[in-house]
Amino acid sequence: MKKWSQGQQIQHSPPPGRRGRVRDTLEWLIAASAGVQHGVVTREQLLALGLGKAAIAHRVGIGLLHPIHAGVYAVGHRPVSPYAYAMAAVLACGDGAALSHRSAATLWGVERAWRQPLEVTARAARRRPNLRIHRSRTLGARDITEHFGIPVTTPARTVLDNAPRLTDAALARAVNDLRLAGYLKLGELTEFLARQSPTAAAKRLRQHTAQRAPTRSEFEDAFRAFAERYRLPELLVNTHVAGHEADVFFPAHRLVIELDGWDYHSDRAQFEVDRNRDADLLAAGVATVRLTWERMHLTPDEEAARLHRILARRAGAASPLPAPPGTRSSTPGRPRRGSRSGGG
C-alpha cells in the first residue's frame, strides 16, 4: 500500500479545460490530496502544491481549511469521521509515525470505541495537545502497515503494545479476534516476537503462538481454561465432525461438547437445527453433551466430574473419526473476553 509523507506532493492532473484557472486548479489539487487522506492535509503538502503561508492563512480565515493539529488541516469542513481524526493525529507526528496502542486496537476492530486522546507512536515527535505520543526507537518499517489508508502498527505490534493493560482473558480475546479476522497469522506473531526483548508482555503474548485453532467467544475461552484446570484429554475446537461444525470435539472418545449460550440458541429455528445435528452425530457414533455457561461456572467441580465419567465410558468406543484435513490438536489455553454465546 502506498504511503504519503508529510512533505510529499501528491501528483494529480486537474480536470480538462481548467488548466488556465490557477485558483480553481489549486483548490482541486488540495481537495485531491485530502481525498486520499480522509479529508486532511499537512502544511508541508500545501506548500509543495505552491501555496504560501499567507495563502494558507487566508484559506483558514475563510473556512476552506480547518486546523486540527499544528500543521494539519481538514479541507472544506471539520472532520465527521473518526478515521479523519486518526489520520490527522498520525500526520501531526511526522514521517514514520503510526497510530498505536488503544487507538490502533480500535482501528483493527479489537476495541469497540474510539477513546481520547488518540495514541500515536513515533521515533521523535513534539508534544501535541489532545494526543498521547509514545516515543520508540524500535518502531521500524516492518512494524507499520496501513489499514483503511491510515499508518498503524501491525496487529502483532498492536497486541504487544496493549498487553500491559490487558488481563490474560482480554489479551487472548484480542489475539483470537485478530486471527479470526485474518489480520494476524501465527507465523507473523512468532517472527515478530523473535525480534523483541524478553519483556513480561512479550512472554505473555508468546503463550498464544502454540494455540493452533482460534476460539470465537468468551465461552470457548472459558472452556479452554476449564479443560486445563480439570485435566480433560486432548481436544479440538471449531472443527467439523460428521458434516457439522462442533464447538469442542474429543476425537479419541467420539464426544462433542456444544457450548450453549442463550443468545445463540434461544429461537425455535436454531433449536431444531441443534437437535437435527445431535441426531446426525449420534447416527455417526458421536455423542453430544450440551454445556451451559451457568453450569460450568456455578458448579464446575460437578460438571468436570460428570465429563470425566462420560469420557471414561466412551474411551472404549469405536475408533475415532479421522480429523478433517488441516485440523490440528488444540492445547487448552486461557479464557478471553467476548460474547458468552456458544459457537452454534
Side-chain angles (χ1 to χ4, degrees):
M1 290 170 283
K2 195 168 184 178
K3 300 178 182 179
W4 308 107
S5 64
Q6 278 197 355
Q8 182 178 357
Q9 182 174 356
I10 303 174
Q11 299 296 328
H12 299 282
S13 297
R18 303 183 67 181
R19 295 180 184 276
R21 302 170 62 182
V22 177
R23 178 187 175 90
D24 287 345
T25 299
L26 274 176
E27 302 307 333
W28 189 90
L29 289 173
I30 294 170
S33 299
V36 297
Q37 298 179 154
H38 294 281
V40 299
V41 294
T42 66
R43 176 182 292 270
E44 287 78 5
Q45 288 171 338
L46 294 173
L47 293 173
L49 289 174
L51 274 73
K53 294 181 179 179
I56 294 174
H58 172 69
R59 282 167 172 76
V60 171
I62 63 175
L64 293 179
L65 295 174
H66 298 262
I68 304 177
H69 301 290
V72 182
Y73 308 89
V75 176
H77 54 78
R78 296 290 298 176
V80 296
S81 163
Y83 295 152
Y85 284 104
M87 189 72 183
V90 173
L91 292 175
C93 295
D95 291 343
L99 201 70
S100 66
H101 292 77
R102 181 168 281 180
S103 299
T106 304
L107 188 65
W108 286 115
V110 174
E111 296 272 345
R112 293 185 178 181
W114 290 93
R115 297 175 182 268
Q116 300 296 330
L118 294 177
E119 298 184 74
V120 176
T121 294
R123 288 182 174 273
R126 297 178 180 178
R127 291 184 178 181
R128 300 285 188 183
N130 303 318
L131 293 180
R132 180 173 297 163
I133 300 174
H134 305 267
R135 294 169 179 83
S136 171
R137 295 181 179 179
T138 63
L139 183 68
R142 288 185 296 179
D143 300 328
I144 300 176
T145 185
E146 287 186 2
H147 193 45
F148 297 114
I150 301 170
V152 61
T153 51
T154 62
R157 175 71 187 232
T158 298
V159 290
L160 180 67
D161 287 341
N162 282 280
R165 70 173 183 83
L166 296 177
T167 64
D168 288 341
L171 180 60
R173 186 71 263 147
V175 171
N176 281 276
D177 282 348
L178 287 168
R179 290 183 61 194
L180 289 168
Y183 296 140
L184 180 63
K185 308 295 184 185
L186 281 184
E188 296 168 349
L189 182 59
T190 301
E191 184 276 331
F192 169 76
L193 291 173
R195 298 187 276 111
Q196 306 306 309
S197 301
T199 61
K203 182 178 180 181
R204 291 176 62 208
L205 193 53
R206 193 168 285 112
Q207 298 174 4
H208 297 282
T209 60
Q211 181 179 312
R212 295 299 174 185
T215 57
R216 297 178 298 191
S217 69
E218 181 186 5
F219 201 166
E220 292 178 12
D221 297 337
F223 186 83
R224 283 183 180 273
F226 175 84
E228 182 178 276
R229 176 184 175 187
Y230 289 101
R231 300 174 181 248
L232 297 181
E234 185 179 30
L235 59 88
L236 303 173
V237 296
N238 298 323
T239 190
H240 283 82
V241 182
H244 297 278
E245 188 175 36
D247 292 339
V248 180
F249 180 46
F250 293 93
H253 304 78
R254 296 172 71 98
L255 179 70
V256 161
I257 305 293
E258 284 300 312
L259 305 175
D260 276 1
W262 180 251
D263 290 342
Y264 190 82
H265 301 270
S266 58
D267 64 272
R268 173 170 288 279
Q270 189 59 47
F271 180 91
E272 294 294 339
V273 168
D274 291 342
R275 271 63 197 171
N276 183 65
R277 176 173 50 189
D278 292 352
D280 281 348
L281 291 174
L282 189 58
V286 179
T288 301
V289 172
R290 294 191 169 272
L291 180 63
T292 65
W293 175 273
E294 287 72 16
R295 292 194 345 246
M296 190 175 72
H297 284 81
L298 297 179
T299 57
D301 293 344
E302 291 83 349
E303 286 300 322
R306 179 161 56 184
L307 277 177
H308 273 292
R309 290 196 300 271
I310 295 171
L311 288 164
R313 282 182 171 272
R314 296 195 59 79
S319 58
L321 295 172
T327 302
R328 298 287 299 272
S329 297
S330 173
T331 301
R334 296 176 179 273
R336 295 169 301 180
R337 184 185 310 171
S339 171
R340 292 185 179 180
S341 62

